Amino acid sequence: MLIILAVTAAFSSCDPDPEGSLRSNCWIDNSTSDTLVLKTMWRNRPQNDTVILKLLPHDTTFFCAANAEYLGQGNTYNSYWEIFASYDQEELSPIEIYRHDTLVAKWTPPCRDMGDTNSWYNKNSWSSVHQGRHNLQVRSTFTITEADYGHFF
């Protein structure tokens, strides 16, 4: 029984944390009618892990979460973009979006204000709500649309 619980806990740790938790969540909304693939790399990990995420049409997919302790006690972020912006910018990697094995969009750091341009690293491209204990955590969503195809920022 303990083995079953340990295996279940290991897999469930990848799931997004619900309202009231001590984690901030990042989501990706694929508002296109295409199945897309997101590719990036976690540079702040020893193996420089490549991340490949399948984004189903008209679906919202969990991307990542950050511990409240990692963010620091008392920090209030208004967007997950601000969490990315707080990293050493050398740790951030381009975000590539593929459709039918063809690169259709690529967003490159650094984090910045890019007006109304839709880019992963544009602070204006995120919609966010506060959640969790004392509203210190944020649930942010980045939306991909067909208008993003052909954009390489």
Side-chain angles (χ1 to χ4, degrees), residues 44-117:
N44 58 351
R45 296 189 182 169
Q47 300 84 8
N48 286 338
D49 296 336
T50 299
V51 177
I52 299 174
L53 189 63
K54 185 176 184 179
L55 307 172
L56 298 175
H58 305 289
D59 194 22
T60 302
T61 305
F62 173 71
F63 181 71
C64 63
N67 289 326
E69 294 81 7
Y70 177 77
L71 302 176
Q73 292 292 335
N75 288 341
T76 302
Y77 290 90
N78 293 313
S79 169
Y80 215 92
W81 177 88
E82 291 181 11
I83 297 170
F84 291 132
S86 72
Y87 293 161
D88 177 350
Q89 294 296 291
E90 296 298 317
E91 292 179 341
L92 300 175
S93 296
I95 304 290
E96 298 177 340
I97 304 297
Y98 291 83
R99 176 181 168 256
H100 306 301
D101 296 325
T102 301
L103 181 66
V104 294
K106 182 176 181 178
W107 300 297
T108 306
C111 295
R112 59 203 181 274
D113 183 344
M114 299 171 66
D116 62 357
T117 300

Side-chain angles (χ1 to χ4, degrees), residues 22-40:
L22 293 175
R23 294 172 68 86
S24 293
N25 292 303
C26 176
W27 296 78
I28 302 169
D29 179 29
N30 178 4
S31 289
T32 75
S33 56
D34 299 311
T35 296
L36 301 174
V37 174
L38 178 145
K39 291 183 182 179
T40 191

